[in-house]
Amino acid sequence: MGVNLSKGQRVSLDKNMTMALVGLGWDPNQYDGGFDFDLDASAFLLGKNGKVLKDEDFVFYGNQNARNGAVMSMGDDTSGGNSEDGDDEQIFIDFTKVPPEIEKIAITVTIYDSDVRHQNFGQVSNAYVRVVARVSSTSDTTGTEVLRFDLGEEFSVETALVVCEIYRNGSEWKFNAVGAGYQGGLYALCKSFGVNV
């Protein structure tokens, strides 16, 4: 079991960790809205200005692979967080392939079609992010959990979350437990991070 973090905490990742799996999970609360909860994990690879340098630096269900294979989405769970014993969505990072001009990787979760479905993060519980050190490629399903951040129940009308940031600090990578909520869903995050939408 890794380190449990609180909102705002920062921790250095092991310098020997070259590959990591970022696992995200959540449980929709019981409600009778007629729609599944389709939450989507995304990653934004950001330069010094806090923006993507190219549109392909935005990894999501429509673009599952960033430049050089540095960051990959492991697929989209459209069923609404029904995983009983593990992550609902996963993002794979190979730190050796992250271009040197990328300073930060922002990991986000948004609610698909939240306006039409009248859904928000106030209807979601047990949300977490964890980082697992991987020893080989994306086909490796084992690894050691090095840290975990439970987001708590502080959200109400938000439809997008910046869950965490993994950023360069000199020659090392650090993890920042952000847990910040936004309205406007994925579109708002794309605009904020400089993706052409």
Side-chain angles (χ1 to χ4, degrees), residues 8-44:
Q9 275 191 287
R10 298 169 188 252
V11 63
S12 296
L13 299 178
D14 188 329
K15 289 183 179 180
N16 296 319
M17 183 170 61
T18 59
M19 288 179 276
L21 180 92
V22 179
L24 301 110
W26 50 79
D27 294 317
N29 298 334
Q30 289 297 105
Y31 91 115
D32 188 20
F35 297 102
D36 282 339
F37 262 82
D38 181 4
L39 274 62
D40 298 312
S42 304
F44 295 85

Side-chain angles (χ1 to χ4, degrees), residues 1-5 87 128-133 143-150:
M1 179 71 93
V3 177
N4 282 319
L5 300 180
D87 305 325
Y128 70 84
V129 59
R130 67 190 190 109
V131 174
V132 176
T144 304
E145 182 175 309
V146 294
L147 63 87
R148 182 183 182 99
F149 168 40
D150 293 304

Side-chain angles (χ1 to χ4, degrees), residues 67-85:
R67 286 188 279 161
N68 307 333
V71 179
M72 291 185 286
S73 166
M74 305 306 287
D76 182 17
D77 172 13
T78 60
S79 64
N82 293 323
S83 176
E84 294 292 325
D85 57 354

